[in-house]
Amino acid sequence: MARKSASGRIGIADVAVKAGVSHATVSRVMNGNFTVDPDIAARVRAAAAELKYQPNPVGRSLALGKTDTIGIVVPDLANPTFQAILRGLSRAAAQDGYRVLIADSFEVSSEESILAGEARRRCDGLVLCAPRMSDAELEEIAPSLHPLVLINRTTSAPNVPGLVVDYGQGVQDIAGHLVELGHTRLAFLAGPPRSASNEMRLKGLETFRAAHPEVEVTMLEGGSDFDTGHEAVDAVLQSGATGILAFNDLVAMGLMSGLHERGLDIPGDISVTGFDDIPFARYTTPALTTAAVPITELGEQAWHQLRALIRKEENETPGSRYQPRLEVRASTGPAKAPRSTVHG
Amino acid sequence: MARKSASGRIGIADVAVKAGVSHATVSRVMNGNFTVDPDIAARVRAAAAELKYQPNPVGRSLALGKTDTIGIVVPDLANPTFQAILRGLSRAAAQDGYRVLIADSFEVSSEESILAGEARRRCDGLVLCAPRMSDAELEEIAPSLHPLVLINRTTSAPNVPGLVVDYGQGVQDIAGHLVELGHTRLAFLAGPPRSASNEMRLKGLETFRAAHPEVEVTMLEGGSDFDTGHEAVDAVLQSGATGILAFNDLVAMGLMSGLHERGLDIPGDISVTGFDDIPFARYTTPALTTAAVPITELGEQAWHQLRALIRKEENETPGSRYQPRLEVRASTGPAKAPRSTVHG
DNA sequence: GACACGTGAGAAAACGCTTTCTCATTCTTT
DNA sequence: AAAGAATGAGAAAGCGTTTTCTCACGTGTC
């Protein structure tokens, strides 16, 4: 009879009893070890099937020293970028039989390293998206998190590949596109101050400024979401710029929404660009000119790098750099005759 | 000296040696058991801190019979609805110290029950979003998945709460709104054929039809994403309807995009409605009239229900029903003089 | 027909932790 | 001052697997 073990769940012991063999033999059969007599193996399999036995993964994990699970730490699960990374990661990992444990830090970066540590201990490896964590802290915790893959960051700790999007090049491409359209007054609606990707954008803009001294580039404070863009309308108009580089698509959409409310025409009066090319970018009105980042692929690659690390293929952990692709849509157009600043 | 255990990681044994006590005592201290002499406890804590000891969660899980992790099965991580559920679930669970393991079934419903079983075995409970799974299959696997919470479904298996959005009422509200605006010819752009939530919508429309025999309601085949909506333009126009109920916001956005391309004015020529009120719905042009579903809250409630089950508070597992709230925006307007069908 | 050898399965250890059981010590109590 | 109660820590038994170790049995060889 299906004798339940104490826990109430069917365990390897129950199968062993039913098949009249030892635990060890059941384990061997379940793991495809061929040093078992075919007759006995069949008996074991029959018993397992009849009892609907399913090995307990926790026991397995303890014995094998691996969990077949990886973790991902994201600062905000509501952000389409991290959703896309998660999606790519999850899909790729699933193909190799791995699952994904998520840890949302909700932007509280003080908790990030603790969270990362906890997640890591439950998993075989970790993907870390922590754009606001200081370099020092990152470098300090990185070794204890190995195998570890970084998104949009790098660190000097050894064997920690970083998958980074070349945001610097991306903003230069966008700025160049606006200049080609005749814009000479641009404004950058910046992202969160400490964000690593924001700093890359700023560096890119510096390079751009150096190459185009004739173009005026105003820096405006911002953030990373809809509301940020929406609230920035006044600042944008006051800047007198005719070409606006928003930190990302979300901000751009918020900004466009605000500009529409003011009765302005895009791109007639003002051109707006985003960054990321989230799925909705092509469906805004007007469709948003942006820099497309192969973000789902990034998640996929994160898994491949992590897998190499888990398998101890330590030969190469190069990290990689992704080039955004300029996606020209309807939100950018020729500059009108230069507008003057709203006041002064 | 920090004697490494065989595995290379610092274990309870290392701390025990360093503090000159037994494993048991270290465990007691780490778990806040107060039957330990304060001096010894301090010594243990010091040793643990110096060694940076962190208990291995797998060992802990095995001993305690719980993982402090819950699983969620979703059919498609790219769908904003499931992203929102995941977000609400993750946040609520995190507040109680639980983590979330995700299992994306990628719409292959044949794998869903296996996936669910695997996820469940690694976790203390499961949230299942499986809109296309047959009732029979669901009922069969439900007991083995307990503690289990269902999203947008119910089952007759005992103690399986289902959190369901009243899509039927929602479409009736939307249809009613369109009729008030003077529309007499409506079309429903349906969702995936076997989807549970689609069926709820269809039922709601039946009720509506019965109450409004004067209104013509055309049923059109569809799906659940952008492209579905975009591709449905011809069918929609051929139907001659002036008020379109799209399966959800995504479909509505795709449809609006397609209608714009045809040069039609929304809502001047045709009114379009969505469902769900995803974050982007208010930023489309025109802003989308839709039925708002408190979907993040649904994820949150899923955790609360699951938590009650995990804690064996089996007193009540009621499930709950959520009423969508009609959100009238700019994509719906008064019906023009009845249009005739494009052909015939 | 004995001896080495290979094969296959059980016993037991290991994984890292929690917790019960047990016992030595100290504190009460009369 | 002696007996009983209370306290605190170590030994050991789990939790459910995998895997090494060990040994019995059957086969092949000379």
Side-chain angles (χ1 to χ4, degrees):
Chain A
M1 286 284 87
R3 205 191 54 119
K4 283 177 172 185
S5 78
S7 79
R9 272 196 90 74
I10 292 185
I12 204 172
D14 303 292
V15 180
V17 169
K18 186 167 189 93
V21 297
S22 69
H23 322 273
T25 300
V26 176
S27 173
R28 280 189 273 259
V29 173
M30 300 305 291
N31 291 293
N33 185 324
F34 289 112
T35 71
V36 178
D37 184 300
D39 289 353
I40 295 187
R43 218 165 67 217
V44 169
R45 261 188 280 274
E50 197 172 334
L51 262 39
K52 293 195 203 302
Y53 166 69
Q54 302 286 146
N56 175 329
V58 179
R60 246 178 144 249
S61 289
L62 188 59
L64 293 173
K66 67 194 194 106
T67 61
D68 289 345
T69 301
I70 58 171
I72 180 172
V73 176
V74 294
D76 179 14
L77 212 43
N79 185 321
T81 298
F82 300 118
Q83 291 170 352
I85 292 174
L86 172 61
R87 206 160 62 238
L89 182 73
S90 168
R91 174 153 41 110
Q95 255 149 18
D96 289 314
Y98 277 72
R99 288 132 208 93
V100 177
L101 187 76
I102 63 174
D104 191 334
S105 67
F106 300 104
E107 304 273 10
V108 268
S109 53
S110 57
E111 299 283 327
E112 254 169 357
S113 47
I114 294 148
L115 205 65
E118 280 183 357
R120 173 59 187 84
R121 255 170 280 129
R122 292 189 138 70
C123 301
D124 299 343
L126 195 68
V127 174
L128 181 60
C129 310
R132 316 245 206 301
M133 186 182 287
S134 75
D135 281 332
E137 186 174 7
L138 178 57
E139 193 172 338
E140 186 186 331
I141 65 169
S144 73
L145 262 29
H146 188 269
L148 173 68
V149 171
L150 259 29
I151 301 288
N152 273 337
R153 299 197 60 158
T154 55
T155 181
S156 56
N159 266 108
V160 180
L163 270 47
V164 351
V165 174
D166 195 340
Y167 291 100
Q169 185 60 53
V171 289
Q172 289 180 63
D173 292 350
I174 295 175
H177 162 67
L178 289 169
V179 167
E180 270 181 26
L181 287 170
H183 297 267
T184 55
R185 303 183 71 177
L186 306 181
F188 175 58
L189 203 42
R194 306 197 166 292
S195 150
S197 83
N198 188 52
E199 271 164 36
M200 295 173 69
R201 287 169 170 90
L202 291 174
K203 277 210 187 103
L205 281 178
E206 280 316 310
T207 310
F208 177 83
R209 271 172 157 163
H212 298 264
E214 80 284 3
V215 177
E216 180 189 328
V217 184
T218 309
M219 296 296 170
L220 300 173
E221 289 184 8
S224 61
D225 55 14
F226 269 126
D227 297 337
T228 301
H230 200 266
E231 289 162 12
V233 175
D234 286 331
V236 163
L237 292 177
Q238 279 183 18
S239 76
T242 60
I244 315 297
L245 294 86
F247 175 69
N248 63 20
D249 292 346
L250 255 38
V251 174
M253 290 169 74
L255 176 63
M256 290 205 299
S257 159
L259 291 171
H260 279 145
E261 287 168 12
R262 290 284 215 288
L264 285 135
D265 180 54
I266 302 170
D269 296 317
I270 196 165
S271 287
V272 174
T273 65
F275 209 116
D276 289 346
D277 195 23
I278 61 176
F280 288 83
R282 70 182 66 225
Y283 295 97
T284 57
T285 312
L288 188 62
T289 293
T290 190
V293 173
I295 196 71
T296 306
E297 187 192 330
L298 206 73
E300 204 175 308
Q301 284 304 318
W303 165 243
H304 290 145
Q305 299 267 5
L306 196 54
R307 183 180 58 188
L309 250 33
I310 290 172
R311 294 183 180 163
K312 300 232 170 61
E313 300 163 354
E314 312 222 356
N315 35 357
E316 289 296 309
T317 53
S320 7
R321 213 169 173 78
Y322 293 81
Q323 293 304 326
R325 181 172 36 78
L326 184 64
E327 201 69 57
V328 177
R329 303 210 178 94
S331 70
T332 49
K336 292 208 305 190
R339 297 165 54 236
S340 59
T341 319
V342 163
H343 72 142
Chain B
M1 286 287 86
R3 207 189 54 117
K4 286 173 167 185
S5 78
S7 79
R9 272 196 89 75
I10 291 186
I12 204 172
D14 304 291
V15 180
V17 170
K18 185 167 189 91
V21 297
S22 68
H23 322 273
T25 301
V26 175
S27 172
R28 279 189 274 255
V29 172
M30 299 305 291
N31 292 294
N33 186 324
F34 289 112
T35 72
V36 178
D37 184 301
D39 289 353
I40 295 186
R43 218 163 71 217
V44 169
R45 261 187 281 272
E50 198 171 333
L51 262 40
K52 293 195 202 302
Y53 167 69
Q54 302 286 147
N56 176 328
V58 178
R60 246 178 143 251
S61 290
L62 188 59
L64 292 173
K66 70 199 193 98
T67 60
D68 289 345
T69 301
I70 58 170
I72 180 172
V73 177
V74 295
D76 178 13
L77 213 41
N79 186 321
T81 297
F82 301 118
Q83 290 169 354
I85 293 173
L86 172 60
R87 205 159 64 240
L89 182 73
S90 168
R91 173 150 43 109
Q95 255 150 19
D96 288 314
Y98 278 71
R99 288 131 208 94
V100 176
L101 187 76
I102 63 174
D104 191 335
S105 68
F106 301 103
E107 304 273 9
V108 268
S109 53
S110 57
E111 300 282 328
E112 253 169 356
S113 46
I114 294 147
L115 204 65
E118 282 183 355
R120 174 61 187 82
R121 255 170 279 128
R122 291 188 139 68
C123 300
D124 299 343
L126 195 69
V127 174
L128 181 60
C129 310
R132 317 247 205 298
M133 184 182 287
S134 76
D135 281 332
E137 186 174 8
L138 178 58
E139 192 171 339
E140 186 186 334
I141 65 169
S144 73
L145 262 28
H146 188 268
L148 173 69
V149 171
L150 258 32
I151 300 288
N152 272 336
R153 300 196 62 156
T154 54
T155 181
S156 56
N159 266 108
V160 180
L163 270 44
V164 352
V165 174
D166 194 340
Y167 292 100
Q169 186 58 55
V171 289
Q172 289 180 65
D173 292 348
I174 295 176
H177 163 67
L178 289 169
V179 167
E180 270 182 25
L181 287 169
H183 296 267
T184 54
R185 302 184 71 175
L186 307 183
F188 176 58
L189 202 43
R194 305 197 168 290
S195 150
S197 83
N198 188 53
E199 272 164 35
M200 293 173 71
R201 288 169 171 89
L202 290 175
K203 277 210 186 104
L205 281 177
E206 280 316 311
T207 309
F208 177 84
R209 271 174 157 161
H212 298 263
E214 79 284 7
V215 177
E216 180 189 328
V217 184
T218 310
M219 296 296 171
L220 301 173
E221 289 184 8
S224 62
D225 55 15
F226 270 127
D227 297 338
T228 302
H230 199 266
E231 288 162 13
V233 174
D234 286 331
V236 163
L237 292 177
Q238 280 183 18
S239 76
T242 59
I244 315 298
L245 294 85
F247 174 69
N248 62 19
D249 292 344
L250 254 39
V251 173
M253 290 168 73
L255 175 63
M256 289 205 298
S257 160
L259 291 171
H260 280 145
E261 286 167 14
R262 290 284 214 288
L264 285 135
D265 180 55
I266 303 169
D269 295 319
I270 194 163
S271 287
V272 174
T273 65
F275 209 117
D276 289 345
D277 195 24
I278 61 176
F280 289 83
R282 70 181 66 225
Y283 295 97
T284 56
T285 312
L288 189 63
T289 292
T290 189
V293 174
I295 196 72
T296 306
E297 186 192 330
L298 206 72
E300 203 175 307
Q301 284 305 317
W303 164 243
H304 290 147
Q305 298 266 7
L306 195 53
R307 182 180 59 188
L309 250 34
I310 290 173
R311 294 184 181 164
K312 302 235 169 60
E313 301 163 354
E314 312 222 356
N315 35 359
E316 287 295 310
T317 52
S320 6
R321 214 169 171 80
Y322 292 82
Q323 293 304 326
R325 181 171 37 79
L326 184 64
E327 199 69 56
V328 177
R329 302 210 179 94
S331 70
T332 49
K336 290 208 308 192
R339 296 165 54 235
S340 60
T341 319
V342 165
H343 71 144

